[in-house]
Amino acid sequence: MFVSNLITKVLTVFLLIATVAAAEPKPTVAHEDPIEIDKSLTLSKVVDLTMEKFPDMAWLNSLEEEAVAIKQRGESWTAGASQAGLRYQNMTSGTVNYVDATVQVPLWNLGQRDAEQERGIKAENSADLQSAATKLRIAGLVRAALWDMELQKIRYEQARAEINVFEQLLAKVERRVELGDLPRADVLLAQTELLQKLSTLTQAEAELMHARKRYSSITQLTKTPAIYQEKLVALKKIEFNHPIFVAINSQIERKQAEIKALKLVGSGQTNLTVGVNSDRTQNNDPRSNQTESFNVGVNIPFGGAEHLQPQIAAQNVELNRLIANREQLFRDLELAHHEAEHNLEVNQAELEIANELKRVAEEHLGMMQLSFSVGELNLMDLLKTQSRTQQAILSAKERAIMLERDIALYNQAVGVLP
């Protein structure tokens, strides 16, 4: 019974190994996102294409439309809609007719039209800068998604390579068991290690699929650029022309322009009224002057400034909230820069260490494999050395990718677009 169960387990393991080997070009899980490499595609182009379909585009377009509307109002010669009036009066006798026709035009207060025009300019500038800040934020998402996908790809490829290594080791162990150099238990030990590597491969593939899906979800693309490595920019600190900082500054300037324009409304708009009066009769009624007259009038509002104060106060609340957000934003940008700079320095040092560890581990593994082949080392010690070596190889590859990623994230932190 024991022998029968053992044979069954061995056959099951071999079946799994054969399945993986036969299907090596395909994923171990029946799911794959159609991501392809496009050599004509650049990182900058990916950012542009992503922005075209980004949810914030509706908001950015509305900001531009609002700016156009504000500018058109500031260019108008009147402070509001004009009104035309017509009044007809007929005496009870039906012989006298009075007709009054008037046009009422709201006038700009002193300096109000200039303030409205300035408000339109600030709104237009703010809309453009919000677009630039959004593009930088999208670039950060794309950068992170691409390098995460590359990191998961390295781990997946390393897991596949380890499968090949342990398959070869299992074949050697089986031959030596057949020759009587090793106990049969070593076959089961080698098979166990291989099954664990199969599990690692499955998990690595799943993470790669997740990373690919995140990229396609963010960009709405199924293609990636062939090259997206970046050169480290020379900026050493957060400058005041950082797109995100400039964007919130533009919001503050726009709000200040809105408050200035609102204050100049004062008690309201002065209205100029121009009219024509007609006084006519059909039967020479002595009550009629039988004339047309022209008249001009001006309506000047007063005493209403205090009614405007709640609106001004509400605008001031929003202004001071923006100022507070700007101060916090600058601190956040400085912190993000520090972290990006620190990560870059750490990974530069870690990459050198990882490469040296890889070299030492590979040399040590060669010695251990030689000792195992001549019977001076047991399988368990060889497997431990093999695992440490594979981990050192993976770590060196990961550090190389992480260094490239950190260069991109540093550029992102200081506000540089790809």
Side-chain angles (χ1 to χ4, degrees):
M1 180 64 70
F2 174 76
V3 175
S4 176
N5 291 337
L6 180 60
I7 293 173
T8 301
K9 292 180 179 179
V10 172
L11 289 174
T12 302
V13 170
F14 280 135
L15 181 60
L16 286 172
I17 296 171
T19 301
V20 172
E24 186 169 345
K26 299 179 181 179
T28 58
V29 180
H31 170 74
E32 185 176 8
D33 296 306
I35 302 294
E36 300 176 354
I37 294 177
D38 186 349
K39 294 183 179 180
S40 66
L41 201 59
T42 63
L43 178 56
S44 177
K45 183 63 176 178
V46 171
V47 173
D48 290 337
L49 292 174
T50 302
M51 188 168 181
E52 289 177 4
K53 300 178 182 179
F54 207 67
D56 282 0
M57 283 306 299
W59 169 63
L60 294 174
N61 290 335
S62 67
L63 287 179
E64 293 178 359
E65 292 171 0
E66 182 188 27
V68 170
I70 294 173
K71 285 190 68 177
Q72 288 178 343
R73 168 172 162 75
E75 292 169 356
S76 174
W77 287 102
T78 62
S82 300
Q83 299 181 29
L86 180 65
R87 186 167 63 92
Y88 171 76
Q89 182 179 359
N90 179 260
M91 298 295 288
T92 55
S93 61
T95 58
V96 181
N97 300 291
Y98 298 100
V99 178
D100 296 328
T102 60
V103 175
Q104 184 173 303
V105 181
L107 304 178
W108 293 108
N109 296 336
L110 184 64
Q112 186 183 7
R113 185 167 182 255
D114 292 338
E116 284 292 335
Q117 291 176 340
E118 182 183 0
R119 179 186 168 205
I121 293 172
K122 296 298 183 182
E124 184 178 42
N125 185 51
S126 179
D128 292 339
L129 293 174
Q130 297 308 316
S131 180
T134 301
K135 186 174 182 179
L136 178 64
R137 183 162 60 90
I138 291 171
L141 295 174
V142 172
R143 281 164 161 158
L146 279 170
W147 286 112
D148 181 50
M149 190 163 54
E150 186 67 22
L151 192 60
Q152 299 303 332
K153 180 182 176 183
I154 287 294
R155 292 169 179 167
Y156 173 71
E157 291 175 348
Q158 179 64 22
R160 273 204 176 277
E162 290 184 18
I163 290 291
N164 294 331
V165 169
F166 278 88
E167 282 178 346
Q168 296 172 10
L169 178 61
L170 176 60
K172 292 178 181 178
V173 170
E174 288 172 340
R175 285 195 299 269
R176 293 188 60 182
V177 169
E178 291 175 357
L179 296 173
D181 294 340
L182 293 176
R184 183 165 293 278
D186 282 356
V187 174
L188 297 178
L189 180 59
Q191 290 169 351
T192 300
E193 288 294 321
L194 181 56
L195 285 173
Q196 289 176 348
K197 295 303 178 182
L198 284 170
S199 177
T200 301
L201 176 63
T202 302
Q203 294 300 320
E205 183 187 13
E207 291 301 321
L208 176 58
M209 292 300 106
H210 293 329
R212 290 159 66 94
K213 183 60 180 178
R214 281 193 294 271
Y215 172 80
S216 63
S217 177
I218 290 170
T219 62
Q220 297 295 296
L221 299 174
T222 58
K223 296 182 180 180
T224 65
I227 299 174
Y228 42 88
Q229 287 81 2
E230 300 181 45
K231 293 182 178 180
L232 184 65
V233 297
L235 294 175
K236 299 299 181 183
K237 63 178 182 178
I238 298 297
E239 303 286 349
F240 290 112
N241 62 351
H242 191 291
I244 296 179
F245 191 75
V246 170
I248 196 169
N249 265 337
S250 72
Q251 289 180 299
I252 292 173
E253 291 173 359
R254 172 181 171 171
K255 184 59 65 176
Q256 290 171 335
E258 289 177 356
I259 293 174
K260 179 181 178 181
L262 184 60
K263 287 180 177 179
L264 289 174
V265 172
S267 297
Q269 302 301 145
T270 297
N271 285 279
L272 174 66
T273 303
V274 178
V276 176
N277 306 111
S278 176
D279 181 0
R280 288 292 178 181
T281 180
Q282 297 177 356
N283 300 317
N284 295 321
D285 192 311
R287 293 173 296 179
S288 173
N289 294 322
Q290 300 290 333
T291 61
E292 282 78 32
S293 61
F294 175 79
N295 58 78
V296 177
V298 178
N299 296 325
I300 302 176
F302 62 92
E306 62 272 15
H307 298 289
L308 197 62
Q309 289 306 312
Q311 298 179 47
I312 295 174
Q315 294 289 335
N316 273 318
V317 169
E318 294 181 15
L319 172 62
N320 284 285
R321 171 51 61 188
L322 286 171
I323 293 173
N325 288 343
R326 179 181 62 183
E327 298 304 314
Q328 184 60 50
L329 174 63
F330 192 74
R331 297 179 185 183
D332 292 341
L333 290 174
E334 286 187 318
L335 180 60
H337 170 260
H338 169 75
E339 291 178 353
E341 184 179 44
H342 182 70
N343 289 338
L344 188 58
E345 292 172 352
V346 168
N347 277 321
Q348 285 173 334
E350 287 290 339
L351 178 59
E352 295 180 7
I353 297 172
N355 284 331
E356 184 63 18
L357 281 173
K358 172 177 173 289
R359 185 192 66 78
V360 172
E362 288 176 334
E363 184 178 348
H364 184 224
L365 176 61
M367 297 171 59
M368 299 295 276
Q369 286 174 335
L370 181 60
S371 298
F372 178 74
S373 64
V374 297
E376 295 178 356
L377 185 72
N378 61 44
L379 181 60
M380 180 61 73
D381 290 336
L382 178 61
L383 289 175
K384 290 179 180 178
T385 304
Q386 184 78 58
S387 295
R388 285 196 297 268
T389 302
Q390 296 299 329
Q391 183 58 46
I393 294 172
L394 176 60
S395 179
K397 292 178 179 179
E398 285 180 337
R399 286 296 175 184
I401 295 299
M402 291 167 68
L403 183 60
E404 294 289 347
R405 178 200 63 187
D406 289 341
I407 289 174
L409 295 184
Y410 182 89
N411 293 346
Q412 175 72 26
V414 296
V416 176
L417 285 168

